[in-house]
Amino acid sequence: MLRDMFKKTYTLIDTKYSAPREEREADREKEPSIPEGLWRKCNKCGQPIYVEDVTNNYYVCPKCGGYFRVHAYRRIQMLVDEGTFQEWNQEMKFSNPLDFPGYEKKILAAKEKTRLNEAIVTGKGLIDGHPAVVGVCDARFLMSSMGHIVGEKITDAVERATREQLPVIIFAASGGARMQEGIVSLMQMAKTSAALKRHHEAGQLFISVLTDPTTGGVTASFAMLGDIIIAEPKALIGFAGPRVIEQTIGQKLPEGFQRAEFLLEHGFVDMVVERKDQKQVISKILGMHERKNGFFQDGVKLVKAAQAQAMSNEFMAEEAGAWQEDIHAHQEENWKKIEKRKRENRNDARSPWDTVLLSRKADRPNAMDYINALFDDFIELHGDRYFKDDGAVAGGIATFHGMPVTVIGQVKGKNTKENIKRNFGMPSPEGYRKALRLMKQAEAFGRPVICFVDTPGAFCGLEAEERGQGEAIARNLFEMSSLKIPVLSLVIGEGGSGGALAMAVANEVWMMEHAIYSILSPEGFASILWKDSKKAPEAAKVMKITAADLYQMGLIEQVIPEEEELNSETLPSVIAYLDEALGEFFSGLEGVDGSQLAERRYQRFRRM
């Protein structure tokens, strides 16, 4: 009996579903005989593996890390809280729209083999207490190809989720459209996509999880439409299969082509997440998307409550008011120091060129330092969904005192290796498109956006021009102007030209005291106007690029004081100041709706 149980368990662990049956059977005949029961051979590395070890390891080979395919109910068991899953449309009437010969017999065989009605299981359940609609494809059922019933089950699940205001999570695993249903199968691509469009317009979340394999019409429809797209390691993901591509172009494909990591690098998925971590990551994402009503105002209440709690924890209730007055007094003292330094700027020992050099220092905190210090639960999201993931721009979702926010930063490296990865903080078109994608996502879910600006300028290479650098920057200016969410931009180092402005069309722009914000670099300014880049220090003085200059001109709203040269050791005091300032910024927007925010942003630039 024990032997039969493990034998049944390991019918799930077959990594060769994508090969024709004849090839699979021929391969098995070549394999050495291994006793059935507690041990099996990994079809990826060929090593003997202990059944219980694989089961406890989320059906991942403990020897090579290879991922075995998981049937639908096993996946649901790993994701959904025990006893909470309610299956929908478990039985649906067979459909053979083309009267294709032998199709019904094939379906009956698949039903008998898998004990499923069709190639996807849908329903509703809780994930760490968060309600969600879940759909899981099962590759054992005709390679989870999408016919009428699969399309209908997905569409019905999405429509019910929209009515019940629930997020949708779909685990895709498919060979594509179902050939036996012809054009009817093709129509399911449009049907499922249209349902997801309505779901999106209703302000609801869709998380797409891509598993091995996700190909064909499924890739070209619902699988790639997630607000957030997660992929399993090394999963095969693509429209045309690798064999088809090789036969078409007559070339051998490079190693790793169409694998999850390839898609991450090329900007088409947000993250690659190991199976053991998926429930935790999905649960965290769901938690950040549960507050939908009242715009971001629910988040503002959380921030105010956190401030009040901090006061009550530190002092007795009757002293809280006095403590708040002390905070404001401390801020006023800082502002007086800044104002004094502005008035004495001409006689200050630190020249504008000195500020330029400070803003460029290698040990100056970068955007990731601020993000990690100011926010909790940060989840980085990758890619522009068109071409690439740009390392010069990092962004994702996080929380600020419990309020979900979107954070985006232009990131410089701290050593040669990091600078190459980050392109020295100079974004390419895909970096700006990634930033805009995250901002539009934030708008859809009512999250404030905080941008950290730190770039010598947009990348000006040949490939950047080929991919539309100017259009990408212009598109950001165009779209950011009307976002119906709060946008705050903080210049933390260099704010160079349009490359900086493309992330600074905000309700308010703040600057670190030793940051700069300019039309171009002082060296470039001197070269163009005076034909001598060595006059950069003189250019820095006449360009009015320091925080003090810009505040005096009314071009920024706040200067964040730096009492000392800013580095990892002095950053905590700045973070404490910013934490309070951000809290006041959000609290000041209580009761302001999206249209008012967009109008205020428009008027801010209209007066300049």
Side-chain angles (χ1 to χ4, degrees):
M1 182 176 177
L2 182 64
R3 175 182 177 132
D4 291 339
M5 181 181 72
F6 282 111
K7 189 174 180 181
K8 179 181 176 183
T9 300
Y10 259 72
T11 59
L12 309 176
I13 307 176
D14 183 355
T15 61
K16 298 185 177 179
Y17 287 124
S18 57
R21 189 188 336 176
E22 295 80 7
E23 290 184 25
R24 296 203 307 268
E25 291 174 352
D27 287 344
R28 287 184 182 122
E29 287 176 2
K30 297 174 186 176
E31 294 172 356
S33 176
I34 294 180
E36 295 287 347
L38 298 179
W39 295 87
R40 288 292 300 270
K41 187 174 80 169
C42 173
N43 288 328
K44 294 185 180 291
C45 66
Q47 294 295 310
I49 46 179
Y50 189 52
V51 171
E52 189 175 355
D53 288 345
V54 177
T55 305
N56 293 337
N57 200 38
Y58 297 89
Y59 294 86
V60 177
C61 176
K63 301 286 181 67
C64 69
Y67 273 54
F68 301 121
R69 292 177 188 164
V70 179
H71 70 68
Y73 290 116
R74 176 67 66 186
R75 178 82 67 175
I76 290 166
Q77 185 180 22
M78 290 191 288
L79 178 73
V80 178
D81 298 347
E82 185 176 359
T84 67
F85 185 69
Q86 305 169 32
E87 186 171 353
W88 294 342
N89 295 319
Q90 188 169 7
E91 296 293 333
M92 296 190 76
K93 188 178 179 181
F94 169 71
S95 173
N96 187 0
L98 304 185
D99 292 325
F100 194 89
Y103 183 36
E104 185 171 7
K105 184 177 179 181
K106 200 171 187 69
I107 290 291
L108 289 172
K111 288 182 177 182
E112 184 178 349
K113 174 185 174 182
T114 64
R115 298 184 181 178
L116 296 172
N117 175 257
E118 252 294 350
I120 188 168
V121 175
T122 61
K124 178 171 69 172
L126 300 177
I127 301 173
D128 283 338
H130 304 295
V133 170
V134 177
V136 181
C137 294
D138 196 315
R140 297 173 303 156
F141 199 108
L142 299 187
M143 266 312 300
S144 194
S145 52
M146 182 163 66
H148 170 260
I149 295 178
V150 170
E152 186 62 27
K153 290 184 76 168
I154 292 172
T155 302
D156 182 70
V158 172
E159 288 175 344
R160 292 176 70 170
T162 305
R163 290 194 299 270
E164 297 182 28
Q165 297 186 333
L166 291 174
V168 172
I169 305 160
I170 299 179
F171 285 77
S174 177
R178 188 167 295 177
M179 297 298 100
Q180 294 89 341
E181 295 190 21
I183 194 71
V184 174
S185 176
L186 195 68
M187 294 303 106
Q188 306 312 305
M189 295 167 61
K191 183 167 77 176
T192 55
S193 300
L196 286 167
K197 175 65 172 175
R198 291 190 172 192
H199 187 71
H200 175 77
E201 290 177 342
Q204 306 304 319
L205 175 70
F206 170 39
I207 301 173
S208 181
V209 186
L210 312 180
T211 73
D212 184 64
T214 300
T215 60
V218 167
T219 301
S221 58
F222 69 86
M224 297 304 293
L225 294 176
D227 297 297
I228 295 173
I229 301 179
I230 298 170
E232 284 196 332
K234 296 183 175 58
L236 175 66
I237 304 163
F239 178 59
R243 292 181 186 176
V244 173
I245 296 173
E246 285 184 338
Q247 290 169 2
T248 301
I249 67 175
Q251 297 176 15
K252 185 171 178 59
L253 298 175
E255 187 71 25
F257 180 75
Q258 288 189 315
R259 296 292 168 179
E261 295 73 16
F262 176 90
L263 270 77
L264 180 67
E265 180 184 349
H266 286 80
F268 293 104
V269 302
D270 284 293
M271 64 189 90
V272 176
V273 181
E274 292 186 22
R275 193 174 284 165
K276 64 182 178 62
D277 299 323
Q278 286 172 12
K279 180 171 183 176
Q280 179 186 5
V281 170
I282 290 172
S283 170
K284 187 183 291 187
I285 293 170
L286 292 176
M288 291 184 187
H289 289 81
E290 279 190 335
R291 300 179 188 91
K292 298 179 287 293
N293 300 321
F295 187 47
F296 70 98
Q297 298 295 345
D298 288 346
V300 170
K301 293 173 184 175
L302 285 173
V303 173
K304 294 183 76 172
Q307 290 175 327
Q309 184 64 42
M311 287 189 289
S312 63
N313 288 344
E314 189 98 17
F315 301 97
M316 294 175 61
E318 58 267 29
E319 294 176 339
W323 178 81
Q324 189 67 38
E325 290 178 7
D326 289 342
I327 287 291
H328 289 300
H330 179 65
Q331 289 177 335
E332 286 297 320
E333 185 179 342
N334 279 332
W335 290 122
K336 287 177 182 177
K337 289 179 182 178
I338 293 171
E339 291 290 341
K340 183 179 179 182
R341 284 198 287 270
K342 283 192 297 180
R343 289 194 300 270
E344 297 174 354
N345 187 51
R346 292 175 185 265
N347 301 319
D348 195 344
R350 181 177 290 116
S351 69
W353 181 246
D354 291 328
T355 301
V356 171
L357 297 178
L358 278 174
S359 74
R360 296 173 175 174
K361 286 194 69 174
D363 65 345
R364 190 173 177 86
N366 65 18
M368 292 307 302
D369 294 319
Y370 284 90
I371 288 171
N372 290 326
L374 271 171
F375 305 101
D376 298 317
D377 306 314
F378 176 62
I379 299 175
E380 186 171 1
L381 305 178
H382 294 269
D384 65 343
R385 295 290 192 272
Y386 292 104
F387 179 75
K388 186 182 176 184
D389 181 52
D390 184 1
V393 176
I397 51 179
T399 58
F400 178 73
H401 295 293
M403 175 174 68
V405 295
T406 289
V407 290
I408 307 167
Q410 295 165 327
V411 188
K412 293 179 179 178
K414 296 186 177 181
N415 53 49
T416 302
K417 184 178 179 181
E418 282 187 10
N419 269 318
I420 292 172
K421 176 185 175 183
R422 301 289 187 184
N423 199 30
F424 296 85
M426 296 183 291
S428 295
E430 45 272 17
Y432 292 112
R433 288 171 181 142
K434 172 168 70 172
L436 183 58
R437 178 178 77 85
L438 296 179
M439 291 180 205
K440 297 297 286 185
Q441 182 189 91
E443 182 179 42
F445 297 108
R447 288 193 298 269
V449 172
I450 301 97
C451 294
F452 295 90
V453 177
D454 187 12
T455 180
F459 182 54
C460 57
L462 172 65
E463 58 269 40
E465 293 299 319
E466 288 177 336
R467 297 197 295 274
Q469 184 70 287
E471 190 279 338
I473 292 172
R475 184 62 53 183
N476 275 32
L477 307 183
F478 181 81
E479 296 289 352
M480 288 182 72
S481 68
S482 63
L483 290 174
K484 291 180 170 57
I485 47 173
V487 181
L488 173 67
S489 293
L490 176 60
V491 183
I492 59 174
E494 289 184 276
S497 191
L501 182 63
M503 285 177 52
V505 181
N507 292 91
E508 290 191 13
V509 176
W510 302 352
M511 284 182 69
M512 300 303 299
E513 187 178 359
H514 299 151
I516 60 170
Y517 193 7
S518 61
I519 189 172
L520 79 170
S521 70
E523 294 91 337
F525 186 95
S527 294
I528 292 172
L529 292 187
W530 301 328
K531 314 301 181 189
D532 186 359
S533 63
K534 293 180 180 178
K535 292 185 176 181
E538 184 179 345
K541 186 175 181 179
V542 302
M543 289 171 73
K544 305 290 185 184
I545 60 177
T546 67
D549 289 328
L550 296 175
Y551 182 79
Q552 199 168 38
M553 295 167 67
L555 298 177
I556 62 172
E557 280 71 25
Q558 280 206 47
V559 179
I560 308 302
E562 299 178 39
E563 292 297 327
E564 307 173 57
E565 289 188 13
L566 195 54
N567 53 43
S568 59
E569 294 182 0
T570 57
L571 181 62
S573 62
V574 171
I575 293 299
Y577 186 93
L578 278 172
D579 186 86
E580 180 69 23
L582 280 171
E584 291 193 357
F585 170 75
F586 291 127
S587 296
L589 294 175
E590 186 171 18
V592 180
D593 66 24
S595 297
Q596 290 172 310
L597 283 165
E599 179 63 22
R600 288 183 184 184
R601 197 177 309 120
Y602 181 84
Q603 293 300 332
R604 179 185 185 275
F605 287 91
R606 182 67 180 83
R607 69 174 183 264
M608 293 181 181

